[in-house]
Structure formats: structure tokens, C-alpha cells
Amino acid sequence: MADLSVDLNGFKLKSPILSASGTFGYCDEFEDFINVSKLGSVVTKALSINPKKGNEGNRIFETNGGMINRIGLENIGIKEFINKKLPILKEKNIDFIVNLAGSNFEDYIEASKIANKNGIKAIEVNVSCPNVKEGCLEFGTNPKTLYELTSSIKDVYKGFLIIKLTPNVSDIESLAIAAQSAGADCISAINTLKGLGVKIEITEDKKIIKQTVSGGLSGRCIKPVALSMVKRIKEAIKIPVIGIGGISNRDDVLEFLSVGADAVEIGTENFTNPNITEKITNELIELIDKLNLKNLDELKRKLRE
Ligand SMILES: Cc1cc2nc3c(=O)[nH]c(=O)nc-3n(C[C@H](O)[C@H](O)[C@H](O)COP(=O)(O)O)c2cc1C
């Protein structure tokens, strides 16, 4: 059987197909649908130092080819994750990456220290969170702030450090370069795009009802933006890149690999198609065999010729 393994500069994955943060819970929700152990890795929902309830009101808005969410980083907190979820993942031998979020520097550092102390092999740092202390600017929009955050995390966390970039910037290259210079081991991109969903309904009695949801756009409709950003990042840096955004089938994965992604994460598609990660994994194996190639690396080379 074709070898799908990926070596991200020393961090080894059995497959390039990962689940994206926030769309796969802490993995236990998906076990009835797929064989999770086949995945390269499960990326957990973002974890903050303290549990978060998330936003009140309408959190989801369906769009053409995607969705807008304003979940507000609802999560159980890293300590409960360590106590309740980590033992399950370990017992079932599931490879996972912990996604971390914070609203100030100290939160990120504290969470990274806890991850380090508990032997978490890899963290993906979500820098799309607003920095409350610095006036709600996202950590990931300023190269200097991102450099400082990444190097401070690197000082306390000794595992594999992935910085997940936001697409809501004009110069993604300078952010990727800042993270790399500060010691990041890998970049993942993209997080959601800022979007506004508006729904107008005109009732029988001629009233106009307006519903709006402002949040992060994800799903099939963002793929061209994600492909462009992954290509630009890959051309700007040397560390591995994990491509994310709008992947819904095998050919989407091939497109990301062809522009330089070393692995991919699949997000929104899990909601309509909960076994999509396993399906694509099987289809990749079939394709490599059909093309008489030995492994994923050979396929990547062909796609990039
Ligand atoms: C409902 C929802 C929740 C998300 N939560 C997180 C999160 O907690 N941390 C994070 O880094 N990204 C989060 N994301 C972003 C996804 O991981 C992914 O980067 C983005 O949705 C683009 O991929 P997709 O088009 O395949 O969904 C979330 C996305 C969705 C749709």
C-alpha cells in the first residue's frame, strides 16, 4: 500500500490529511463516523487558559459555498483538556495537535508552558485572536508582535511549534517570515476570512426583516484565496507549510500539494461530510498506486513539475 507519510522537518505524520481546529471538536465526537487513527493528526478546538462560553446569539450563517461563524472560541480550557480529553486520545493512540488561543501574551505563554509540561508533541498557535491589551488588533496582523509572541512561546515550549496565520492581512509573506525568524517550526494557513452575512426577508404583510452575522468565512468558497496565500507563503519561507481552506475532495488536496503545501487540514467540509478525511485518505492511496508511484513524496514531486 502506498506510503502517505510526511516528514515536517523531523515531525512525522502518517498522512498529510489532518482535521482543522474547531471543526472536529476534541475528536471524540467523530469516532462513530470514521477511523480517526488513519488521520495524519487531529487538530483540537482552540484551547485557552480558562474555559470560554463563546458568543451569545446567532453563531452560524450559511453562505453560497461556505459559512460564517462567530463561535467566539468556546472551549473547555486547557486544564480540563489535559485531565479529561488527553487520556482518551492517548489510550486510543490518536495523533493530535493542540490548537492554542489567548487574549494576551501571558495567556499564550501560560498555555504553552502547560502543553510543554504535559508532553504535548505539537501545538498550533491561533494568532487570529484579538489582543485585548493592545486594542483588539489580532496578534497575527503585525510582524513585530508576531515575532515577539512566537519567540516567547519558543522559549517555554520545546515541542513542534506551528503558527497558524490569518488571511486578514495584505502582506502575508512578512508575517510568515517573522514567525520563521522567531523559531516557528511550521506555518499553517489560512484561518477564516472576515465576512458579513446579510439576510433580508420580506413578509406577507410587507415588513422587512434583516438578519446579519459578522464573523469568519470558511468552506469551499475560500479555496482560491487559501491556495494563493499558501503559494505566496511557501515561496517566502523554508519551513513546512500546512494548507487549509475550502478543501472538500481529493483534487482540492492535490491543488494544495501542487502549490507547495506539505500537508493539509480539512475544516468546514466535516460538517456536511463527517467521513471526508478518511475518504480522501483512501483516495490518495488509490491514486498513488494507480500512477505506479511509491509514496506521497513522489506524487508531490510530479504535481510540482
Ligand atoms: C465553526 C468553526 C470553528 C473554528 N474554530 C477554530 C479554532 O478554534 N481555532 C482555529 O485556529 N481555527 C478555527 N477555525 C478555522 C478552521 O480551522 C480553518 O482554518 C478554516 O475554517 C478554513 O478551513 P475550511 O475552509 O476547510 O473550514 C474554525 C472554523 C469553523 C468553521
Side-chain angles (χ1 to χ4, degrees):
M1 198 170 69
D3 172 17
L4 285 189
S5 64
V6 183
D7 187 342
L8 300 177
N9 272 355
F11 183 67
K12 297 201 169 89
L13 301 171
K14 61 172 94 77
S15 149
I17 309 295
L18 287 69
S19 65
S21 177
T23 65
F24 218 76
Y26 305 102
C27 172
D28 33 354
E29 294 89 335
F30 275 80
E31 278 187 301
D32 293 341
F33 300 105
I34 68 163
N35 179 357
V36 183
S37 65
K38 273 195 171 182
L39 293 190
S41 200
V42 167
V43 183
T44 69
K45 172 71 191 163
L47 290 161
S48 47
I49 274 290
N50 295 311
K52 281 185 103 180
K53 278 197 177 145
N55 289 324
E56 298 284 335
N58 213 347
R59 295 167 153 205
I60 297 283
F61 186 99
E62 227 176 289
T63 66
N64 269 346
M67 66 182 271
I68 292 174
N69 90 80
R70 52 177 292 278
I71 306 292
L73 293 178
E74 175 187 349
N75 76 92
I76 60 174
I78 190 159
K79 290 168 203 152
E80 181 158 337
F81 171 80
I82 300 283
N83 291 334
K84 300 223 171 108
K85 303 289 183 183
L86 187 59
I88 304 174
L89 291 169
K90 280 191 173 162
E91 187 197 313
K92 299 201 165 149
N93 225 358
I94 293 168
D95 293 324
F96 64 93
I97 294 170
V98 166
N99 183 283
L100 293 183
S103 50
N104 55 52
F105 249 77
E106 293 72 29
D107 282 2
Y108 279 107
I109 304 307
E110 199 49 37
S112 304
K113 277 185 187 163
I114 295 177
N116 195 55
K117 196 170 141 213
N118 287 279
I120 306 286
K121 287 190 193 138
I123 57 174
E124 179 185 67
V125 179
N126 173 4
V127 291
S128 310
C129 313
N131 182 352
V132 179
K133 279 196 185 159
E134 290 187 13
C136 280
L137 265 184
E138 289 174 12
F139 283 95
T141 56
N142 179 322
K144 189 167 165 281
T145 315
L146 185 61
Y147 180 92
E148 283 163 16
L149 180 69
T150 308
S151 52
S152 305
I153 293 175
K154 196 73 191 167
D155 285 343
V156 298
Y157 177 72
K158 302 301 165 203
F160 191 72
L161 173 59
I162 305 166
I163 298 291
K164 180 170 181 180
L165 295 182
T166 169
N168 301 314
V169 292
S170 52
D171 181 8
I172 193 104
E173 290 90 338
S174 62
L175 290 149
I177 291 169
Q180 174 180 260
S181 321
D185 299 299
C186 180
I187 297 292
S188 62
I190 57 175
N191 210 316
T192 55
L193 285 149
K194 264 185 199 140
L196 177 68
V198 183
K199 190 175 170 197
I200 308 277
E201 199 186 323
I202 305 192
T203 64
E204 290 286 306
D205 54 351
K206 301 183 183 111
K207 280 198 187 111
I208 294 181
I209 299 172
K210 190 165 100 172
Q211 187 206 346
T212 61
V213 174
S214 171
L217 177 67
S218 64
R220 296 178 187 196
C221 60
I222 72 166
K223 189 183 72 175
V225 178
L227 281 168
S228 159
M229 293 217 159
V230 167
K231 183 169 186 294
R232 285 167 55 192
I233 294 168
K234 191 69 190 180
E235 284 166 2
I237 58 170
K238 297 213 160 52
I239 55 176
V241 178
I242 300 176
I244 322 168
I247 296 176
S248 68
N249 58 47
R250 183 203 72 182
D251 290 351
D252 292 339
V253 173
L254 300 182
E255 290 166 23
F256 274 87
L257 299 179
S258 80
V259 298
D262 296 277
V264 297
E265 291 179 21
I266 300 178
T268 303
E269 191 65 22
N270 289 299
F271 296 135
T272 42
N273 210 347
N275 68 351
I276 189 65
T277 44
E278 187 176 2
K279 182 169 181 282
I280 294 180
T281 305
N282 293 336
E283 288 173 355
L284 267 185
I285 294 173
E286 275 167 30
L287 178 69
I288 293 172
D289 286 341
K290 188 173 152 191
L291 296 176
N292 290 325
L293 301 173
K294 274 201 255 6
N295 52 36
L296 184 76
D297 286 340
E298 281 193 2
L299 177 63
K300 281 181 183 164
R301 273 197 291 279
K302 288 250 171 234
L303 289 166
R304 293 171 193 171
E305 267 166 13

